[in-house]
Amino acid sequence: MTFSPDLEARFEKLVASYPEGRTRSAVIPMLMYAQDELGAVTPELVAEVAKRCKVPPIQVEEVIGYYSMLHRKPQGKYHVQVCTNISCLLVGGEELYHHASKKLGIGHKQTTADGIFSLEEVECMGACSWAPAVEINYDFHHHVTAEKLDVLLDSLKKPQ
Amino acid sequence: MLFNEPHPLETRVLTKRMHEPGYNGTVEAYERYGGYKQFLKAVEMTPDDIIGEVKTSNLRGRGGAGFPTGMKWGFVPRQSPKPKYIVVNGDESEPGTCKDRVLIENDPHLLIEGCLIAARVVGAERGYVYIRGEYRYLIDIMERAIDEAYRAGWLGKNIKGTGINFDLRAHSGAGAYECGEESALLESLEGKRGNPRIRPPFPAVAGLYASPTVLNNVETFAAVPSILEMGGKAWADLGIEKAGGTKLTCLTGHFNKPGVYELTLGFPVEKMINEVGGGVRGGRKMKAFIPGGSSCPVLTGDEAWPLNMDYDSMAKAGSMLGSGGVILMDETTDMVKAALRIMHFYAHESCGWCIPCREGTAWLKKLLTRLDAGSGSARDIDLVGDLAKNMLGRTFCPLGDAAALPTMSIVKKFRHEFEAKLSRPVSVPVTSPDQLVSLG
């Protein structure tokens, strides 16, 4: 498989980051970064990561099912993650999730027909003092209200 | 970037630089404010002297368990022929906790210097900063800081002519609360599923790649440079007996002014809520209080008001200081729903490795769902308490306890709220177990 020069450089650095004979350590970060470029963990990627980390493919497969951020199907261009865990729940996280669900017309782990948005009700993401919080792809948004979320989602939907 | 206004009652030790005007966390800025000098001091000290200072400081692990750091470092067999490793736990995912974010985002070199000092103590030449996958922007910040440190000669071979070699890397997790548990984190760092290991052996003896490993929370490592700077005694004196220094405390939930604040150990709860946190939202009454993340036993408002924020006070009151993630619930809070949401989390995050936790959290979630929906029976309330109690101490790692403790305390202290939601009078039993399954 060929990747972008940036990702190739990252892969090289990753493999060199661990002691000799310990390249299995690079499996999870490699999947994370490659997934960002490819949109999902594909069977070809599993084979490729196994080859580069010098591990049997089963050792790559077994982590995919375990870690919640690794996924085999593509998500929307913007993956909207709304936290409803306790600190967010207390200040309206659940209402915010329902608002997002209604506005986007999709539920938990679903993607809009145009592929632009996907939605996930997530567990604590470490923004508890600035709740309720939403993470879109890797960008944090704090003290989110329904109005703020509308503006945010509308701005993302516009062709750029 | 700081996300909330600072407060005058804070004692800034770990966060002192980030509050300086124009401070941007680069290596130049860090050096300008005295950064990396404590590492050079550590090079002049013997490992035992450094451990001695850390012991004197009464620094206890800031990730939640509160184990004395100096003692933990002392367990590492320095004479072992195996390589030694430094591992930073930046998996911050205990609900209510968002303090390590503040440290890594605003002062990453402080963490690097803490790692260097630990490396000096045990003779480690490699270290990893394990950061949860959701914190990608922090991994980027950490990587930039590490690159700067290499360029400035604070990482790599023969650092500043001291003869010390140390390589540090940031490592991305991929979404798993369980990986905040130290042995599961090591499994994850080795590229495996984050299942916990049986201990002993502890990571100090057989940690990363079965080698001696110093594994601490971000805040713990970040505290070490200031301990050498001030001296262990002066650092200890910031706090109270048996709990030295300061703690980054996350005020979350129904505060008027939630935020992350650096407070001395032993800070009074009443002052923390009413002054630092601006009081309970809307002037309401405090119904419940969780001192340090959702895995701590829940205290009632009345229990919490007279306490102090330190390990022993909280233990005496039947809870824990934990990670410093304070969760305040005012009188409008539905405690059944809170218990359910907390259990929903633990059921989702149970790694499935051992049965009491895997099955226990799933069943508790079912029972609490039914009670919250108003179709539970009185027996369900007792069953929740019994199930939780039977998970305690019966799992490989503390996740089982983390799920059981808040649940048991909520059922015990807020039983009337569960009873108020029952569909039938308290005297009428019984729901067959078969029915439970169909409701799952």
Side-chain angles (χ1 to χ4, degrees):
Chain A
M1 277 178 101
T2 49
F3 302 102
S4 69
D6 279 358
L7 192 58
E8 280 293 348
R10 181 169 282 284
F11 276 7
E12 239 171 76
K13 191 178 165 189
L14 268 173
V15 170
S17 290
Y18 306 93
E20 223 187 306
R22 304 291 188 184
T23 41
R24 185 176 179 184
S25 281
V27 167
I28 294 162
M30 219 181 246
L31 287 170
M32 285 287 284
Y33 289 102
Q35 172 180 273
D36 289 342
E37 189 164 302
L38 302 177
V41 178
T42 60
E44 297 75 35
L45 179 63
V46 171
E48 185 69 22
V49 168
K51 196 173 87 191
R52 290 183 187 233
C53 295
K54 300 190 183 72
V55 297
I58 184 71
Q59 292 186 352
V60 181
E61 293 281 354
E62 70 175 26
V63 299
I64 301 167
Y66 180 89
Y67 292 95
S68 65
M69 292 180 76
L70 297 173
H71 47 87
R72 295 178 199 264
K73 283 192 191 138
Q75 295 171 326
K77 186 179 171 198
Y78 299 104
H79 186 53
V80 181
Q81 301 147 82
V82 185
C83 176
T84 62
N85 206 311
I86 189 77
S87 296
C88 283
L89 177 84
L90 291 171
V91 291
E94 203 174 62
E95 291 79 1
L96 196 63
Y97 171 76
H98 290 308
H99 179 81
S101 176
K102 209 169 140 195
K103 178 166 173 82
L104 297 173
I106 49 175
H108 179 58
K109 291 196 175 176
Q110 292 178 348
T111 306
T112 54
D114 57 10
I116 293 183
F117 292 107
S118 50
L119 180 66
E120 188 174 353
E121 180 182 8
V122 293
E123 297 300 348
C124 183
M125 57 169 95
C128 323
S129 285
W130 316 290
V134 173
E135 195 177 0
I136 301 181
N137 297 342
Y138 291 113
D139 294 329
F140 277 88
H141 302 273
H142 296 147
H143 300 299
V144 182
T145 58
E147 296 72 36
K148 264 169 90 170
L149 189 64
D150 283 347
V151 173
L152 194 60
L153 295 179
D154 290 342
S155 74
L156 292 174
K157 198 163 182 180
K158 281 191 199 125
Q160 285 161 5
Chain B
M1 195 178 146
L2 297 161
F3 301 121
N4 53 269
E5 289 290 309
H7 193 277
L9 287 173
E10 283 183 82
T11 302
R12 291 198 197 103
V13 180
L14 277 67
T15 59
K16 68 176 174 189
R17 291 184 183 84
M18 64 182 77
H19 285 279
E20 296 290 341
Y23 187 78
N24 59 7
T26 58
V27 69
E28 293 81 17
Y30 188 66
E31 286 175 354
R32 197 159 56 239
Y33 285 94
Y36 288 113
K37 281 196 183 136
Q38 304 316 314
F39 165 64
L40 295 177
K41 190 195 266 183
V43 175
E44 302 297 319
M45 297 166 72
T46 67
D48 285 326
D49 287 345
I50 300 169
I51 290 179
E53 287 299 324
V54 176
K55 281 185 177 165
T56 308
S57 75
N58 282 334
L59 171 64
R60 293 169 64 164
R62 300 301 197 223
F67 192 82
T69 306
M71 201 189 287
K72 199 172 184 181
W73 290 14
F75 291 153
V76 175
R78 302 204 294 269
Q79 305 311 321
S80 164
K82 288 183 176 177
K84 325 286 182 300
Y85 294 99
I86 304 299
V87 176
V88 181
N89 185 342
D91 192 54
E92 182 161 77
S93 22
E94 175 70 22
T97 316
C98 49
K99 66 189 176 60
D100 296 338
R101 248 183 95 183
V102 174
L103 289 169
I104 297 177
E105 176 158 0
N106 297 292
D107 212 1
H109 287 279
L110 178 64
L111 179 58
I112 298 176
E113 189 173 10
C115 293
L116 274 167
I117 295 169
R120 155 71 185 137
V121 170
V122 299
E125 297 202 345
R126 269 181 198 268
Y128 297 96
V129 185
Y130 184 107
I131 300 177
R132 64 181 300 189
E134 292 87 346
Y135 283 1
R136 171 65 63 80
Y137 83 105
L138 289 183
I139 299 172
D140 295 343
I141 288 173
M142 202 64 227
E143 284 186 336
R144 275 200 298 276
I146 288 170
D147 287 345
E148 285 174 3
Y150 271 103
R151 280 199 297 275
W154 293 113
L155 287 172
K157 299 270 176 259
N158 189 18
I159 295 166
K160 300 288 177 186
T162 59
I164 290 172
N165 306 322
F166 188 61
D167 282 307
L168 188 66
R169 291 279 186 273
H171 179 103
S172 173
Y177 167 76
E178 175 59 15
C179 292
E181 192 279 329
E182 61 178 12
S183 69
L185 183 147
L186 291 169
E187 289 287 295
S188 180
L189 186 48
E190 292 181 5
K192 305 170 194 164
R193 297 164 73 93
N195 295 333
R197 297 174 180 170
I198 291 184
R199 292 167 299 168
F202 289 93
V205 178
L208 184 60
Y209 312 128
S211 299
T213 302
V214 174
L215 203 172
N216 286 111
N217 177 253
V218 170
E219 188 184 352
T220 312
F221 280 112
V224 174
S226 58
I227 290 171
L228 294 194
E229 186 182 357
M230 298 170 67
K233 173 79 172 61
W235 203 88
D237 288 344
L238 291 170
I240 53 154
E241 206 191 336
K242 289 199 209 157
T246 59
K247 176 94 196 69
L248 267 70
T249 307
C250 321
L251 304 189
T252 81
H254 295 148
F255 284 95
N256 278 320
K257 285 186 192 164
V260 175
Y261 304 96
E262 186 172 3
L263 304 174
T264 51
L265 264 290
F267 201 89
V269 166
E270 193 268 330
K271 208 164 153 185
M272 178 182 80
I273 294 174
N274 283 338
E275 297 189 37
V276 181
V280 182
R281 181 185 71 169
R284 293 195 182 92
K285 263 183 78 177
M286 169 164 71
K287 183 190 270 188
F289 178 90
I290 304 180
S294 68
S295 57
C296 299
V298 177
L299 299 170
T300 64
D302 290 343
E303 285 173 323
W305 280 116
L307 299 177
N308 297 324
M309 291 295 286
D310 62 78
Y311 301 96
D312 290 351
S313 304
M314 288 302 164
K316 220 180 279 172
S319 189
M320 310 186 293
L321 187 69
S323 61
V326 172
I327 305 166
L328 190 155
M329 306 184 204
D330 74 15
E331 58 192 321
T332 64
T333 310
D334 177 343
M335 294 308 290
V336 181
K337 188 164 183 174
L340 169 61
R341 187 60 187 86
I342 289 171
M343 190 51 63
H344 182 277
F345 170 70
Y346 291 107
H348 182 263
E349 299 298 337
S350 176
C351 78
W353 187 240
C354 50
I355 294 162
C357 176
R358 182 183 68 214
E359 296 298 316
T361 54
W363 278 95
L364 283 167
K365 187 178 131 186
K366 287 176 192 175
L367 285 164
L368 288 165
T369 302
R370 186 158 72 173
L371 285 163
D372 182 53
S375 47
S377 71
R379 214 188 65 158
D380 292 342
I381 307 175
D382 295 326
L383 198 52
V384 167
D386 281 352
L387 245 174
K389 197 170 134 198
N390 279 302
M391 281 164 66
L392 266 189
R394 290 188 169 87
T395 51
F396 278 98
C397 87
L399 200 149
D401 293 355
L405 289 167
T407 310
M408 286 162 65
S409 60
I410 295 177
V411 170
K412 190 173 155 207
K413 293 171 186 178
F414 300 95
R415 192 183 173 94
H416 55 280
E417 293 201 22
F418 288 82
E419 287 173 350
K421 280 199 176 187
L422 295 179
S423 57
R424 284 158 288 184
V426 175
S427 59
V428 180
V430 170
T431 311
S432 82
D434 299 346
Q435 252 178 298
L436 280 178
V437 178
S438 67
L439 281 162

